[in-house]
C-alpha cells in the first residue's frame, strides 16, 4: 500500500509537471508514431497486395493460355490416325510388337516436337501387353498397376500428378498432365498421354521480372499441396508449413494481413485458377517492403532518446529554479499554519512569478501580525464588556421587582387599570428580553404582540382592531425574537392611527413545507415610496438610526432576517394608497428553540 510520503511525492508540483509533460507530449507522440507505423505497414501491405494481385492475374491469364494451347497440341497428337491405328489392336507376336514399337516411336518423334512440354509419353491402355515398347521408352510394363495410372485410366477428365525426384529418372519435381483418349470413331479407350512440365517451363510464368529477395511464388493443388515453389522447389510436395496460411486463404481471393512462416513474416496474395484446381500464391517478405520504415523507426528511437534527455534537463531546471523555491515557501506556510510567525520574513530579488510569491507572502505575514495584534486587542475589549454586562446583570431583576411593587400598590389603592398596564409592561419586558436568547417560539412572539397592543390601547385610550389567525401547530415552532412587535408597532403608528374606527390589522401565520409564512396586513394609507426604497439600500446601520425613525422597524426586521437566514428570507412588502399594506415574513423552521 502506498504510504503518505509516497502519496505526497506523487502530488508534488515537480512530479505533476513531469506527469503532465509525459501525458501531453510524450504519450501522444508515441501514440502518433505507433499509429503512423501501423498505417504505413497497412498502406504498404495494401499496395503490395494490389500489385501482386495484378501480377497474379496476368500470370494466371498467361498460364491458362499455355495450358489451353498445350491441351490443343495433345489433342492433335491424340487425333493422329497412325497412332490411333497402332493402338487399335494389341500385338499378338514379338514380331508384331517390334513393328509396333518402331512405327509408334517414328510417329511420335514426328509429332512430339510440336508440343511445348518437357517430355511427352504415350502409353497403351494396357502397358503389360507392350513390354518391348515400354522398355524402349524407359518405363516398366508394370506401370499400369501404379495409382496415378489407374486413376487416369478410370477418369474421363484429364488429371494432374506431381512426380517427386527419383534416382535414375528425374532430378527435379515434374508436374504431369495426364489424359486418357479413346478411338476416333468409338468410345473404346486406346491409351494415355502423359505430358511432363519441368521447373524451367513453369518459371517462365511464375518468375517476376523484378523479384524481391526472398519472394516466393507457389502453385497449390486442391489439397493444399505445393506442386511448384519458385525458390528451389523447397516446399514442393508438402503443405505450406503453417496452418494459419490456409485459414487466411479462406477469407477470400485477396489476403489481408501477414503470416509468420519459419521466423519470416510474409504478405500473402493468392488467386484461384478458373479451369484448373490450382491456386497461385505470392509470398512477399514483409522485411523487404518495410526496410525504409525500419530506418525511420531507428531514427525515431534516436530522436526519442535525445528528446527524453532534453526533457530530463528541463525537469532539473524546473526543480532547481521553481519547485525547490516553491517547496521552501510551502514549508514557511506550514509554520504559519502552526501559528509560528517568528523569523518568517522572506525576500527575493527574482523578478518572475516566484519572486512575486515571496514578496507577497512576506507582505501577508506583516498583515497577519497586524491582524493578530488587533484581534488580541479586540479580545481584551470583549472581556471588559462581558465583565461590565455581568456587573449589570441585576438590572432586569431590579426592574421586574420594581414593576411588581407598583402593580401591588396600584391594586391596594383600587387602581386596577394601572395594575393591569404595569403587568402588561412587565410581561412585554420579560418576553422581549427572553432571558438573553435570540430564539423564542412563535407563540411567545404573539403573546408579546398582544401585551404591546394592550399597552398601546391603554396609553392612547383607543381600541386597536387586530385579528389573529394562526395554525395551532405553528405556535410551538422556534422563532427569532422581536420580529412581529416592530412591524405591529409600525402598522399602528403609520397606518391605522388616524382612523381607529375603520382601520384594522390582520396578523396570520401558516406552515409551508420547511418555512413559516407570517402575513401582517392593514387597510391603511400604505408605506411611502421613499421609505420602501431606503429599505432595500445597503446603508450603514449607524447612519440609518441617526436618520428619521420612520422605517427603522422595517429595516431592522429585514436586516435581522437576512443576517440570520440569508437573502431568501427578507421581507416582502406590497403597499399602495388604495390597497393598504401587506408584509410577508418567510421564516425557516428551526430544529430547536
Amino acid at each position: 500500500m502506498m504510504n503518505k510520503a509516497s502519496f505526497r511525492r506523487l502530488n508534488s508540483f515537480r512530479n505533476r509537471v513531469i506527469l503532465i509533460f509525459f501525458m501531453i507530449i510524450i504519450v501522444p507522440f508515441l501514440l502518433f508514431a505507433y499509429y503512423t507505423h501501423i498505417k504505413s505497414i497497412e498502406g504498404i501491405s495494401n499496395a503490395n497486395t494490389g500489385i501482386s494481385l495484378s501480377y497474379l492475374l496476368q500470370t494466371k491469364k498467361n498460364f491458362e493460355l499455355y495450358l489451353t494451347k498445350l491441351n490443343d497440341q495433345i489433342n492433335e497428337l491424340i487425333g493422329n490416325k497412325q497412332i490411333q491405328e497402332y493402338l487399335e489392336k494389341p500385338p499378338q507376336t514379338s514380331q508384331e510388337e517390334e513393328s509396333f514399337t518402331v512405327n509408334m516411336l517414328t510417329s511420335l518423334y514426328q509429332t512430339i516436337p510440336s508440343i511445348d512440354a518437357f517430355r511427352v509419353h504415350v502409353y497403351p491402355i494396357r502397358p503389360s501387353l507392350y513390354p518391348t515398347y515400354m522398355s524402349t521408352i524407359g518405363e516398366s510394363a508394370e506401370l499400369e498397376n501404379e495409382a496415378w495410372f489407374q486413376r487416369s485410366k478410370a477418369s474421363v477428365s484429364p488429371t494432374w500428378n506431381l512426380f517427386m525426384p527419383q534416382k535414375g529418372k528425374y532430378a527435379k519435381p515434374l508436374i504431369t498432365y495426364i489424359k486418357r483418349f479413346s478411338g476416333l470413331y468409338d468410345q473404346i479407350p486406346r491409351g494415355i498421354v502423359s505430358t511432363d512440365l519441368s521447373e524451367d517451363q513453369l518459371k517462365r510464368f511464375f518468375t517476376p521480372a523484378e523479384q524481391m529477395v526472398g519472394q516466393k511464388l507457389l502453385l497449390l493443388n486442391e489439397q493444399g499441396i505445393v506442386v511448384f515453389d519458385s525458390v528451389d522447389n523447397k516446399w514442393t510436395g508438402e503443405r505450406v508449413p503453417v496452418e494459419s496460411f490456409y485459414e487466411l486463404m479462406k477469407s477470400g481471393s485477396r489476403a489481408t494481413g501477414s503470416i509468420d512462416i519459419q521466423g519470416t513474416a510474409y504478405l500473402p496474395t493468392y488467386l484461384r485458377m478458373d479451369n484448373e484446381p490450382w491456386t497461385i500464391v505470392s509470398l512477399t517478405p514483409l522485411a523487404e517492403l518495410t526496410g525504409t520504415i525500419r530506418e525511420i523507426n531507428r531514427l525515431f528511437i534516436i530522436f526519442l532518446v535525445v528528446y527524453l534527455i532534453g526533457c530530463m534537463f528541463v525537469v532539473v531546471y524546473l526543480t532547481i529554479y521553481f519547485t525547490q523555491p516553491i517547496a521552501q515557501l510551502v514549508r514557511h506556510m506550514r509554520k504559519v499554519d502552526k501559528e509560528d510567525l517568528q523569523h518568517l520574513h522572506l525576500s527575493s530579488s527574482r523578478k518572475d512569478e516566484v519572486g512575486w510569491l515571496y514578496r507577497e507572502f512576506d507582505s501577508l505575514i506583516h498583515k497577519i501580525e497586524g491582524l493578530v495584534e488587533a484581534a488580541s486587542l479586540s479580545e481584551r475589549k470583549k472581556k471588559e464588556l462581558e465583565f461590565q454586562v455581568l456587573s449589570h446583570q441585576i438590572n432586569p431583576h431590579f426592574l421586574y421587582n420594581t414593576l411588581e411593587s407598583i402593580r401591588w400598590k396600584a391594586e391596594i389603592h383600587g387602581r386596577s387599570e394601572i395594575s393591569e398596564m404595569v403587568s402588561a409592561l412587565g410581561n412585554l419586558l420579560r418576553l422581549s428580553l427572553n432571558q438573553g436568547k435570540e430564539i423564542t417560539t412563535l407563540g411567545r412572539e404573539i403573546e408579546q404582540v398582544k401585551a404591546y397592543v394592550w399597552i398601546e390601547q391603554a396609553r392612547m385610550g383607543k381600541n386597536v382592531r387586530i385579528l389573529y389567525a394562526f395554525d395551532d401547530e405553528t405556535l410551538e415552532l422556534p422563532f427569532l425574537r422581536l420580529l412581529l412587535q416592530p412591524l405591529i408597532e409600525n402598522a399602528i403608528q403609520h397606518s391605522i392611527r388616524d382612523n381607529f374606527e375603520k382601520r384594522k390589522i390582520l396578523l396570520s401565520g401558516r406552515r409551508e413545507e420547511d418555512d413559516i409564512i407570517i402575513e401582517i396586513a392593514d387597510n391603511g394609507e400604505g408605506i411611502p415610496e421613499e421609505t420602501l426604497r431606503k429599505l432595500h439600500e445597503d446603508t450603514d446601520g449607524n447612519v440609518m438610526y441617526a436618520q428619521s425613525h420612520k422605517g427603522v422597524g422595517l429595516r431592522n426586521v429585514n436586516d435581522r432576517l437576512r443576517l440570520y437566514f440569508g437573502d431568501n428570507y427578507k421581507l416582502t412588502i406590497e403597499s399602495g394608497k388604495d390597497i393598504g399594506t401587506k408584509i410577508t415574513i418567510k421564516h425557516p423552521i428551526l430544529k430547536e428553540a
Side-chain angles (χ1 to χ4, degrees):
M1 184 178 292
M2 182 180 293
N3 54 32
K4 293 183 178 180
S6 300
F7 186 76
R8 284 197 298 268
R9 285 195 295 270
L10 181 63
N11 284 316
S12 68
F13 175 76
R14 179 186 60 186
N15 292 340
R16 286 186 178 182
V17 169
I18 294 174
L19 181 61
I20 292 172
F21 191 79
F22 184 79
M23 295 300 295
I24 293 179
I25 299 178
I26 303 297
V27 171
F29 190 71
L30 292 175
L31 291 177
F32 177 76
Y34 175 75
Y35 176 80
T36 304
H37 176 76
I38 294 300
K39 287 299 179 181
S40 299
I41 297 296
E42 182 180 338
I44 290 174
S45 301
N46 292 336
N48 173 76
T49 302
I51 295 172
S52 298
L53 191 60
S54 299
Y55 170 75
L56 293 182
L57 285 170
Q58 186 62 41
T59 300
K60 169 191 168 186
K61 180 179 178 182
N62 294 337
F63 190 53
E64 287 181 340
L65 287 174
Y66 166 74
L67 293 178
T68 301
K69 183 179 179 181
L70 179 64
N71 188 65
D72 293 340
Q73 292 170 350
I74 293 173
N75 288 336
E76 290 180 4
L77 174 65
I78 293 171
N80 188 295
K81 291 183 179 181
Q82 291 181 345
I83 295 175
Q84 288 279 345
E85 290 175 357
Y86 298 150
L87 293 172
E88 185 174 0
K89 294 180 180 180
Q92 301 298 320
T93 63
S94 59
Q95 288 81 8
E96 289 181 1
E97 185 184 359
E98 290 179 1
S99 176
F100 166 82
T101 302
V102 172
N103 292 333
M104 188 69 173
L105 291 176
T106 301
S107 296
L108 291 176
Y109 289 153
Q110 293 174 353
T111 308
I112 286 177
S114 63
I115 299 176
D116 185 9
F118 171 67
R119 183 172 59 187
V120 179
H121 283 158
V122 178
Y123 302 112
I125 199 69
R126 294 186 63 186
S128 60
L129 301 178
Y130 300 86
T132 302
Y133 172 74
M134 296 299 293
S135 176
T136 302
I137 64 176
E139 296 289 348
S140 171
E142 303 298 325
L143 181 69
E144 64 179 301
N145 296 324
E146 294 186 13
W148 69 269
F149 192 91
Q150 293 293 328
R151 184 172 64 252
S152 301
K153 182 178 178 180
S155 174
V156 177
S157 302
T159 61
W160 289 89
N161 194 66
L162 174 65
F163 292 96
M164 296 303 292
Q166 292 184 14
K167 188 175 182 180
K169 284 192 173 183
Y170 30 85
K172 293 184 179 181
L174 294 176
I175 301 176
T176 303
Y177 180 64
I178 307 169
K179 188 173 185 179
R180 192 196 75 179
F181 64 91
S182 57
L184 295 176
Y185 307 107
D186 57 43
Q187 299 298 321
I188 300 174
R190 291 280 194 273
I192 292 176
V193 179
S194 69
T195 306
D196 297 330
L197 305 181
S198 67
E199 177 183 358
D200 294 335
Q201 287 175 308
L202 293 174
K203 280 186 176 181
R204 291 185 300 173
F205 305 99
F206 298 105
T207 302
E210 297 181 0
Q211 186 173 359
M212 293 185 181
V213 177
Q215 185 178 6
K216 279 179 174 289
L217 283 173
L218 306 176
L219 195 61
L220 275 64
N221 63 14
E222 62 271 27
Q223 287 83 31
I225 303 298
V226 178
V227 296
F228 174 74
D229 183 349
S230 64
V231 181
D232 301 328
N233 280 305
K234 183 177 180 181
W235 296 340
T236 302
E238 303 174 357
R239 288 174 63 86
V240 176
V242 58
E243 288 302 318
S244 60
F245 168 75
Y246 295 98
E247 296 295 327
L248 193 62
M249 286 183 61
K250 296 178 182 179
S251 61
S253 63
R254 182 171 178 171
T256 55
S258 64
I259 57 173
D260 188 272
I261 303 177
Q262 296 178 343
T264 303
Y266 290 95
L267 291 177
T269 308
Y270 60 91
L271 193 65
R272 293 182 176 89
M273 298 184 66
D274 297 331
N275 301 324
E276 303 296 339
W278 289 342
T279 301
I280 307 173
V281 179
S282 171
L283 294 177
T284 306
L286 184 61
E288 293 298 319
L289 297 173
T290 59
T292 304
I293 294 180
R294 289 200 305 273
E295 292 295 328
I296 294 174
N297 288 340
R298 280 195 291 268
L299 290 175
F300 169 74
I301 292 173
I302 294 173
F303 172 77
L304 184 60
V305 171
V306 174
Y307 189 75
L308 289 175
I309 293 173
C311 293
M312 291 176 62
F313 280 108
V314 171
V315 170
V316 171
Y317 174 80
L318 290 176
T319 300
I320 295 175
Y321 288 96
F322 290 96
T323 58
Q324 287 183 353
I326 291 176
Q328 183 180 1
L329 188 61
V330 170
R331 287 193 294 270
H332 287 297
M333 289 181 177
R334 287 174 179 168
K335 290 183 179 180
V336 173
D337 185 56
K338 295 178 182 179
E339 299 181 357
D340 183 8
L341 299 180
Q342 297 180 354
H343 310 295
L344 285 182
H345 298 289
L346 303 176
S347 62
S348 176
S349 59
R350 294 175 59 164
K351 303 299 181 182
D352 57 4
E353 288 81 355
V354 175
W356 298 346
L357 284 174
Y358 269 71
R359 288 188 289 273
E360 290 299 323
F361 181 76
D362 188 63
S363 175
L364 180 63
I365 293 299
H366 286 292
K367 291 180 180 179
I368 291 175
E369 289 177 343
L371 291 174
V372 169
E373 292 179 0
S376 177
L377 180 61
S378 176
E379 187 67 22
R380 288 197 298 270
K381 290 183 178 180
K382 181 180 177 182
K383 293 295 183 181
E384 293 176 359
L385 291 174
E386 289 178 351
F387 179 76
Q388 292 177 8
V389 169
L390 290 174
S391 65
H392 292 84
Q393 205 170 33
I394 192 147
N395 290 343
H397 298 283
F398 173 77
L399 184 58
Y400 292 148
N401 293 334
T402 302
L403 290 174
E404 184 64 22
S405 297
I406 296 173
R407 185 185 67 80
W408 177 71
K409 288 186 177 183
E411 286 184 355
I412 291 177
H413 291 83
R415 301 289 186 173
S416 59
E417 292 183 359
I418 296 175
S419 175
E420 291 177 2
M421 189 172 180
V422 170
S423 177
L425 180 58
N427 192 34
L428 177 63
L429 181 61
R430 176 179 57 81
L431 294 172
S432 298
L433 293 176
N434 194 38
Q435 298 179 350
K437 298 178 181 178
E438 282 295 317
I439 302 300
T440 181
T441 63
L442 180 58
R444 288 171 63 86
E445 272 290 283
I446 295 171
E447 289 181 16
Q448 181 185 0
V449 169
K450 290 179 178 179
Y452 169 75
V453 171
W454 196 94
I455 293 172
E456 282 293 322
Q457 290 180 138
R459 188 173 64 83
M460 295 184 296
K462 300 285 187 179
N463 287 329
V464 178
R465 301 172 64 193
I466 181 169
L467 302 177
Y468 303 92
F470 287 88
D471 296 338
D472 292 339
E473 63 177 1
T474 63
L475 297 179
E476 298 300 324
L477 294 176
F479 200 79
L480 187 64
R481 71 187 182 101
L482 290 178
L483 290 183
L484 301 183
Q485 186 271 331
L487 300 180
I488 296 298
E489 179 183 358
N490 189 77
I492 293 174
Q493 297 297 328
H494 303 291
S495 294
I496 69 171
R497 187 181 182 89
D498 296 335
N499 194 342
F500 283 103
E501 289 76 14
K502 295 183 179 181
R503 306 288 170 81
K504 61 183 178 180
I505 300 172
L506 175 61
L507 178 59
S508 62
R510 65 185 183 277
R511 176 174 181 168
E512 289 186 1
E513 296 181 354
D514 294 332
D515 296 321
I516 304 171
I517 305 300
I518 306 294
E519 293 180 351
I520 303 171
D522 63 66
N523 58 350
E525 294 295 331
I527 301 174
E529 291 292 333
E530 180 68 16
T531 302
L532 290 176
R533 183 181 62 80
K534 290 182 178 180
L535 178 65
H536 299 291
E537 290 180 353
D538 293 330
T539 310
D540 181 82
N542 295 330
V543 175
M544 179 190 71
Y545 287 111
Q547 296 171 351
S548 172
H549 184 71
K550 194 172 184 179
V552 169
L554 291 174
R555 182 62 180 265
N556 179 273
V557 172
N558 190 57
D559 288 348
R560 290 178 65 218
L561 280 172
R562 292 173 63 188
L563 179 63
Y564 273 85
F565 309 121
D567 289 338
N568 291 333
Y569 292 94
K570 60 186 178 181
L571 294 180
T572 301
I573 302 176
E574 300 175 14
S575 183
K577 186 174 181 180
D578 297 326
I579 62 174
T581 300
K582 179 181 178 182
I583 301 175
T584 303
I585 298 175
K586 185 178 179 183
H587 188 290
I589 296 178
L590 305 177
K591 292 184 179 180
E592 58 183 14

mmCIF file of all heavy atoms in Angstrom, residues 47 67 89 93-94 115 117 125 168 181 231 241 244 278 309 321 377 435-436 449 465 520:
data_model
loop_
_atom_site.group_PDB
_atom_site.id
_atom_site.type_symbol
_atom_site.label_atom_id
_atom_site.label_comp_id
_atom_site.label_asym_id
_atom_site.label_seq_id
_atom_site.Cartn_x
_atom_site.Cartn_y
_atom_site.Cartn_z
ATOM 1 N N ALA A 47 -0.762 -1.817 -50.915
ATOM 2 C CA ALA A 47 -0.128 -1.560 -52.201
ATOM 3 C C ALA A 47 0.491 -2.833 -52.763
ATOM 4 O O ALA A 47 0.355 -3.147 -53.956
ATOM 5 C CB ALA A 47 0.925 -0.463 -52.049
ATOM 6 N N LEU A 67 -1.797 -23.595 -70.987
ATOM 7 C CA LEU A 67 -2.415 -24.896 -70.765
ATOM 8 C C LEU A 67 -3.444 -25.202 -71.835
ATOM 9 O O LEU A 67 -3.580 -26.372 -72.281
ATOM 10 C CB LEU A 67 -3.069 -24.949 -69.380
ATOM 11 C CG LEU A 67 -2.113 -24.886 -68.186
ATOM 12 C CD1 LEU A 67 -2.900 -24.900 -66.869
ATOM 13 C CD2 LEU A 67 -1.109 -26.032 -68.213
ATOM 14 N N LYS A 89 -5.298 -52.505 -81.967
ATOM 15 C CA LYS A 89 -5.242 -53.895 -81.545
ATOM 16 C C LYS A 89 -3.878 -54.177 -80.937
ATOM 17 O O LYS A 89 -2.860 -53.761 -81.497
ATOM 18 C CB LYS A 89 -5.480 -54.843 -82.727
ATOM 19 C CG LYS A 89 -6.890 -54.752 -83.294
ATOM 20 C CD LYS A 89 -7.021 -55.719 -84.449
ATOM 21 C CE LYS A 89 -8.447 -55.641 -85.041
ATOM 22 N NZ LYS A 89 -8.603 -56.585 -86.199
ATOM 23 N N THR A 93 2.291 -61.195 -81.616
ATOM 24 C CA THR A 93 3.586 -61.872 -81.602
ATOM 25 C C THR A 93 4.671 -60.853 -81.315
ATOM 26 O O THR A 93 4.430 -59.643 -81.325
ATOM 27 C CB THR A 93 3.871 -62.529 -82.960
ATOM 28 O OG1 THR A 93 3.948 -61.514 -83.963
ATOM 29 C CG2 THR A 93 2.763 -63.522 -83.339
ATOM 30 N N SER A 94 5.876 -61.389 -81.067
ATOM 31 C CA SER A 94 7.001 -60.493 -80.781
ATOM 32 C C SER A 94 7.371 -59.674 -81.995
ATOM 33 O O SER A 94 7.789 -58.521 -81.885
ATOM 34 C CB SER A 94 8.202 -61.319 -80.308
ATOM 35 O OG SER A 94 8.574 -62.279 -81.313
ATOM 36 N N ILE A 115 4.910 -30.174 -79.502
ATOM 37 C CA ILE A 115 4.247 -29.978 -78.194
ATOM 38 C C ILE A 115 5.204 -29.244 -77.258
ATOM 39 O O ILE A 115 6.356 -29.662 -77.062
ATOM 40 C CB ILE A 115 3.838 -31.333 -77.587
ATOM 41 C CG1 ILE A 115 2.839 -32.042 -78.514
ATOM 42 C CG2 ILE A 115 3.237 -31.126 -76.201
ATOM 43 C CD1 ILE A 115 2.447 -33.422 -78.041
ATOM 44 N N ALA A 117 6.364 -28.905 -74.190
ATOM 45 C CA ALA A 117 6.444 -29.576 -72.891
ATOM 46 C C ALA A 117 7.839 -30.161 -72.736
ATOM 47 O O ALA A 117 8.596 -30.300 -73.700
ATOM 48 C CB ALA A 117 5.382 -30.656 -72.754
ATOM 49 N N ILE A 125 -3.266 -48.498 -73.356
ATOM 50 C CA ILE A 125 -4.202 -48.602 -72.234
ATOM 51 C C ILE A 125 -3.860 -49.785 -71.343
ATOM 52 O O ILE A 125 -4.176 -49.792 -70.159
ATOM 53 C CB ILE A 125 -5.655 -48.688 -72.750
ATOM 54 C CG1 ILE A 125 -6.625 -48.327 -71.620
ATOM 55 C CG2 ILE A 125 -5.942 -50.073 -73.316
ATOM 56 C CD1 ILE A 125 -6.559 -46.902 -71.236
ATOM 57 N N GLY A 168 17.848 -41.856 -61.093
ATOM 58 C CA GLY A 168 17.900 -42.532 -62.378
ATOM 59 C C GLY A 168 16.799 -42.129 -63.330
ATOM 60 O O GLY A 168 16.806 -42.548 -64.486
ATOM 61 N N PHE A 181 -7.341 -41.230 -73.738
ATOM 62 C CA PHE A 181 -8.019 -40.979 -75.016
ATOM 63 C C PHE A 181 -8.592 -42.286 -75.541
ATOM 64 O O PHE A 181 -8.119 -43.384 -75.222
ATOM 65 C CB PHE A 181 -7.070 -40.336 -76.037
ATOM 66 C CG PHE A 181 -5.914 -41.184 -76.453
ATOM 67 C CD1 PHE A 181 -6.003 -42.033 -77.567
ATOM 68 C CD2 PHE A 181 -4.728 -41.156 -75.734
ATOM 69 C CE1 PHE A 181 -4.920 -42.806 -77.952
ATOM 70 C CE2 PHE A 181 -3.654 -41.944 -76.114
ATOM 71 C CZ PHE A 181 -3.745 -42.769 -77.216
ATOM 72 N N VAL A 231 11.293 -20.914 -55.452
ATOM 73 C CA VAL A 231 12.601 -20.845 -54.811
ATOM 74 C C VAL A 231 13.097 -22.259 -54.540
ATOM 75 O O VAL A 231 12.814 -22.863 -53.499
ATOM 76 C CB VAL A 231 12.545 -20.028 -53.498
ATOM 77 C CG1 VAL A 231 13.929 -19.964 -52.869
ATOM 78 C CG2 VAL A 231 12.005 -18.627 -53.762
ATOM 79 N N PRO A 241 4.256 -24.778 -44.443
ATOM 80 C CA PRO A 241 4.496 -25.183 -43.033
ATOM 81 C C PRO A 241 3.909 -24.235 -42.000
ATOM 82 O O PRO A 241 4.563 -23.903 -41.028
ATOM 83 C CB PRO A 241 6.019 -25.226 -42.958
ATOM 84 C CG PRO A 241 6.486 -24.242 -43.962
ATOM 85 C CD PRO A 241 5.496 -24.309 -45.092
ATOM 86 N N SER A 244 -1.963 -21.327 -40.286
ATOM 87 C CA SER A 244 -2.644 -20.031 -40.356
ATOM 88 C C SER A 244 -2.712 -19.513 -41.786
ATOM 89 O O SER A 244 -3.590 -18.706 -42.124
ATOM 90 C CB SER A 244 -1.934 -19.005 -39.464
ATOM 91 O OG SER A 244 -0.591 -18.827 -39.874
ATOM 92 N N TRP A 278 -6.172 -25.336 -59.127
ATOM 93 C CA TRP A 278 -4.940 -24.832 -58.541
ATOM 94 C C TRP A 278 -5.144 -23.411 -58.021
ATOM 95 O O TRP A 278 -6.035 -22.682 -58.453
ATOM 96 C CB TRP A 278 -3.803 -24.835 -59.582
ATOM 97 C CG TRP A 278 -3.313 -26.212 -59.929
ATOM 98 C CD1 TRP A 278 -3.508 -27.350 -59.222
ATOM 99 C CD2 TRP A 278 -2.559 -26.553 -61.099
ATOM 100 N NE1 TRP A 278 -2.912 -28.416 -59.847
ATOM 101 C CE2 TRP A 278 -2.315 -27.949 -61.005
ATOM 102 C CE3 TRP A 278 -2.061 -25.858 -62.187
ATOM 103 C CZ2 TRP A 278 -1.607 -28.641 -61.973
ATOM 104 C CZ3 TRP A 278 -1.331 -26.551 -63.137
ATOM 105 C CH2 TRP A 278 -1.110 -27.934 -63.031
ATOM 106 N N ILE A 309 16.258 12.898 -22.965
ATOM 107 C CA ILE A 309 17.376 13.519 -22.245
ATOM 108 C C ILE A 309 17.129 15.016 -22.093
ATOM 109 O O ILE A 309 17.358 15.606 -21.023
ATOM 110 C CB ILE A 309 18.699 13.244 -22.989
ATOM 111 C CG1 ILE A 309 19.041 11.750 -22.923
ATOM 112 C CG2 ILE A 309 19.831 14.071 -22.385
ATOM 113 C CD1 ILE A 309 20.238 11.362 -23.761
ATOM 114 N N TYR A 321 14.921 25.854 -10.189
ATOM 115 C CA TYR A 321 14.511 27.250 -10.252
ATOM 116 C C TYR A 321 13.060 27.491 -9.880
ATOM 117 O O TYR A 321 12.673 28.643 -9.686
ATOM 118 C CB TYR A 321 14.767 27.798 -11.655
ATOM 119 C CG TYR A 321 16.239 28.000 -11.951
ATOM 120 C CD1 TYR A 321 16.963 27.029 -12.619
ATOM 121 C CD2 TYR A 321 16.907 29.152 -11.528
ATOM 122 C CE1 TYR A 321 18.321 27.192 -12.882
ATOM 123 C CE2 TYR A 321 18.253 29.323 -11.787
ATOM 124 C CZ TYR A 321 18.961 28.337 -12.464
ATOM 125 O OH TYR A 321 20.290 28.510 -12.711
ATOM 126 N N LEU A 377 -6.246 42.781 20.867
ATOM 127 C CA LEU A 377 -6.830 43.961 21.494
ATOM 128 C C LEU A 377 -8.340 43.850 21.568
ATOM 129 O O LEU A 377 -8.959 44.183 22.593
ATOM 130 C CB LEU A 377 -6.416 45.206 20.695
ATOM 131 C CG LEU A 377 -6.938 46.543 21.210
ATOM 132 C CD1 LEU A 377 -6.433 46.811 22.632
ATOM 133 C CD2 LEU A 377 -6.528 47.687 20.279
ATOM 134 N N GLN A 435 -34.691 36.062 28.345
ATOM 135 C CA GLN A 435 -33.544 35.526 29.080
ATOM 136 C C GLN A 435 -32.232 35.628 28.287
ATOM 137 O O GLN A 435 -31.334 34.818 28.422
ATOM 138 C CB GLN A 435 -33.797 34.050 29.463
ATOM 139 C CG GLN A 435 -34.997 33.866 30.375
ATOM 140 C CD GLN A 435 -35.247 32.404 30.716
ATOM 141 O OE1 GLN A 435 -34.644 31.522 30.120
ATOM 142 N NE2 GLN A 435 -36.144 32.167 31.670
ATOM 143 N N GLY A 436 -32.159 36.631 27.419
ATOM 144 C CA GLY A 436 -30.934 36.855 26.650
ATOM 145 C C GLY A 436 -30.797 35.973 25.420
ATOM 146 O O GLY A 436 -29.772 36.033 24.733
ATOM 147 N N VAL A 449 -46.777 40.516 21.208
ATOM 148 C CA VAL A 449 -47.567 41.458 20.401
ATOM 149 C C VAL A 449 -48.841 41.844 21.143
ATOM 150 O O VAL A 449 -49.228 43.030 21.190
ATOM 151 C CB VAL A 449 -47.887 40.835 19.018
ATOM 152 C CG1 VAL A 449 -48.926 41.686 18.282
ATOM 153 C CG2 VAL A 449 -46.618 40.707 18.192
ATOM 154 N N ARG A 465 -58.139 47.527 16.430
ATOM 155 C CA ARG A 465 -58.824 46.366 15.818
ATOM 156 C C ARG A 465 -57.764 45.471 15.144
ATOM 157 O O ARG A 465 -57.295 45.752 14.054
ATOM 158 C CB ARG A 465 -59.853 46.851 14.796
ATOM 159 C CG ARG A 465 -60.906 47.764 15.404
ATOM 160 C CD ARG A 465 -61.794 48.365 14.321
ATOM 161 N NE ARG A 465 -62.559 47.354 13.626
ATOM 162 C CZ ARG A 465 -63.219 47.551 12.487
ATOM 163 N NH1 ARG A 465 -63.184 48.748 11.911
ATOM 164 N NH2 ARG A 465 -63.899 46.571 11.920
ATOM 165 N N ILE A 520 -48.750 40.229 7.733
ATOM 166 C CA ILE A 520 -49.302 41.357 8.514
ATOM 167 C C ILE A 520 -49.940 42.302 7.516
ATOM 168 O O ILE A 520 -49.232 42.955 6.720
ATOM 169 C CB ILE A 520 -48.201 42.061 9.326
ATOM 170 C CG1 ILE A 520 -47.499 41.066 10.249
ATOM 171 C CG2 ILE A 520 -48.780 43.234 10.100
ATOM 172 C CD1 ILE A 520 -46.273 41.608 10.915
#
